[in-house]
Amino acid sequence: MQVTLRIQRFNPETDSKPYYREYTVEVEPTDRVLDALNYIKWYQDGTLTFRRSCAHGVCGSDAMRINGRNRLACKVLIKDLGPKITIEPLLGFRIIRDLVVDMEPFFAQYRAVMPYLINDEPPPVRERLQSPEERALYDDTTKCILCACCTAACPIFWTTEWLGPAAIVNAHRFLFDSRDRAAEERLAILNQKFGVWRCRTIFNCTEACPRGIQVTNAIEQVKRRILFEQS
Amino acid sequence: MYHRFDAVIVGAGGAGLMAAAQLAGQCNVAVISKLYPVRSHTGAAQGGIAAALGNVEEDHWIWHMFDTVKGGDYLVDQDAAEVLAREAIDAIIELEHWGFPFNRTPDGRIDQRRFGGHTRNFGEGPVRRACYAADRTGHMILQTLYQTALKKQVTFFDEFMMLDLLLTDDGVCTGVVAMDIETGELHIFHAKAVLLATGGFGRVYKVTSNALAATGDGVAIAFRRGIPLEDMEFYQFHPTGIYKMGILLSEACRGEGGILRNGLGERFMERYAPTLLDLAPRDMVSRAIYQEIRAGRGVDGKDYVWLDLTHLPPEVIETKLPDITDFVRTYLGLDPVKDLIPIQPTAHYAMGGIPTDVDGRVTIDEKNTPIPGLYAAGECACVSVHGANRLGTNSLVDLVVFGRRAGRHMLTFVRENDFHPLPKEPDYRARAEVEWILENEGTERVATLRAELQEAMMTDAGVFRTGDGLKRLQQKLGELRTRYSQIRIDDKSRTFNMELVEAIELGFLLDCAEAIAASALAREESRGAHYREDFPARDDANWLKHTLIARTSGGLQLSYKPVVITRFEPKERVY
Ligand SMILES: Cc1cc2nc3c(=O)[nH]c(=O)nc-3n(C[C@H](O)[C@H](O)[C@H](O)COP(=O)(O)OP(=O)(O)OC[C@H]3O[C@@H](n4cnc5c(N)ncnc54)[C@H](O)[C@@H]3O)c2cc1C
Ligand code: SF4
Ligand code: SF4
Ligand code: FES
């Protein structure tokens, strides 16, 4: 089938502001949006620029706005979109070029929540024990691929300085891991004014997550944990 | 720009990050990676990581070693396989201590599942050896190692692409040259020790489970600098890729009880591997699938067969294989709980690569002479623990065991050695390459050449090979090489020029393909993943040896080195 992609373009070397260009391509209905983008890049216009790697939704490279929603281009099929597709970079980040945005502030938010296991007790010779039930408490938040679909969909993030949902998801992953011992420090960070309380429970993030993580739910669990520890 | 680090690690997948974790805080170390570390292809690994923990049934490292040697069709260096099997246990425990969220047994220990070719008591039957986190084991390894590297404050250069390796005339490694993709600027990294951990090159083939970034950069750069490549003819096709797309459906599907069926609905593996059935090693299963297809027993006479999970309890599919279920639903619109899944073998893993010893030191010849300061680990390297065919779950364990050993050896090396002076104009080759590609005014498109390359490799260097086919392939590669000198790219910009990146990567793919074709043509026997229809038997008398292929001024040169045999004498491989 034939589809038209309207793509936001910007090259800082030549353009003063972003503009749109249209491309028409012949694709299979079951092709991914990424296939269409690759087709354009490979055979029509080599200057079209975007990130990609795994091509099946596990590396988090190709988050972008597709018909207004944050999605991974490799996880959306053409047949689910119809013949006219608009593609734009994620909102809230500096555009480096075309669909490529500067992810550094996003990773800085991630680093701010100390996203690693902290436990200074000498480990046993073998594994630390953890029951399947304890393991299940943080299973959902281990799935995060740091694609930024959620954070870039959050209206609070567009206007205010705050950690954003992805960082909180990753804090949750350690807060609810029975092996971790740094809950107090992490909760203190999340309790600051740019922390969890900025969230207005709008659920954009949950809807955007390509990994199906219950993002808002994780944020709520973190909020409750802060309140619980304070009382 | 000039940088100076004791140690530079190129690649931020499992191998690179594991090495970085050994060096961080102990010396001045940088990791450069063309992708953000968490985008590395290690994150795509699904099924598991092998270690004889014996948590759910009796197991011993020596059984793991034996399976690795036999699975590799006896081309495995047994000293390395012993290191792998012994140190796997400790490496897994270390990952757990760093926070890896393994699936657990009811009593809270690391759970284990079955995987192809892993057996109890030297081949008696399948054993539960693969440690896992649902079907996202690689994702969790990558996350855990990246998190550990952040905790240890490793310095990262993200989206920096290595273009060249710096060696002095007397063969000492002094650093690398890399391009900052965002600005196009070249950076010189002066180092005492360099680790290449740049991953595989599945993108030489048309149907592959590998990421678009898996273009063999480190392997090709080493090859260009005169370092020989080992066992390049051994390339693994994984039996269960999604038909036409190549997206992997992990062997864990079969580990959990899934079955392969031909177009007639028969469980055809009964004919090929009566003991291990669907869990026979990958080379055998992939060949069996093609044999069924050739005999007209593919589905509707086409070139695919079924993976059947419909008899598994739905909760096993949903909870132990959630990502795979999601792939099948997203890309095929099918439900694995009730539908059969169309699959075909997909290019998956390079057994060969840059030769190293068990400490990750890159070796230059048949006598295993190391190059001072140069290391390699992970899929780009060949220690050789996988021999002619890798077992499932043995790559992830290779990354952590040999990434760790390489890191530790590098630490000793940088403590005992000084910086060597850089060659004059260290970046001239990289600069010339970039300028040439940007300015060349030819007529060929990179994508067209790449598609032809992938098609030719699939046809003539895939699961089945013949002498005639490989000669035809070599001719085609020669033609592609010439046409590559006539490329033209649209994008002349310096900012995030991905067309430039893809053009450079195509050059790397061509190098890898040439090494594969020449090594495969020379090896006149069938062993593991290398199957020659004109020489269908294994020939230990003449071919129980590793191939080394080097690029010299006089063309490609082949030599051979002996296989290290310690505990297990080569036997016929039946399962
Ligand atoms: C779909 C899939 C599933 C798999 N499942 C399993 C499994 O269950 N068990 C198992 O044991 N194995 C599995 N494997 C194999 C295993 O995942 C890989 O072999 C392994 O992850 C490779 O790791 P690596 O660290 O060597 O390289 P990678 O993880 O591929 O990392 C390569 C790194 O090098 C960088 N790089 C590359 N070129 C350059 C350059 N020019 N300049 C700078 N940086 C560069 C990249 O950015 C990246 O960071 C699977 C493989 C695939 C494809
Ligand atoms: S639920 Fe909170 S984090 Fe998610 S989009 Fe809404 S405000 Fe943002
Ligand atoms: S929570 Fe989901 S949407 Fe957000 S970064 Fe992680 S994977 Fe992406
Ligand atoms: S390319 Fe990896 S998530 Fe889309």
Side-chain angles (χ1 to χ4, degrees), chain A residues 182-193:
Chain A
E184 209 175 309
E185 287 152 88
R186 252 186 226 107
L187 290 172
I189 295 166
L190 293 160
N191 196 20
Q192 286 170 325
K193 71 172 189 315

Side-chain angles (χ1 to χ4, degrees), chain A residues 34 52-62 72-75 145:
Chain A
L34 180 63
R52 80 291 174 277
S53 188
C54 73
H56 64 285
V58 297
C59 80
S61 294
D62 56 347
L72 300 172
C74 64
K75 252 199 128 173
I145 56 174

Side-chain angles (χ1 to χ4, degrees), chain A residues 106 143-151 165-166 169-170 205 208-213 215:
Chain A
F106 175 79
K143 293 178 189 157
C144 176
I145 56 174
L146 295 166
C147 66
C149 279
C150 57
T151 296
V169 161
N170 284 280
C205 51
C209 179
R211 300 283 292 150
I213 298 170
V215 181

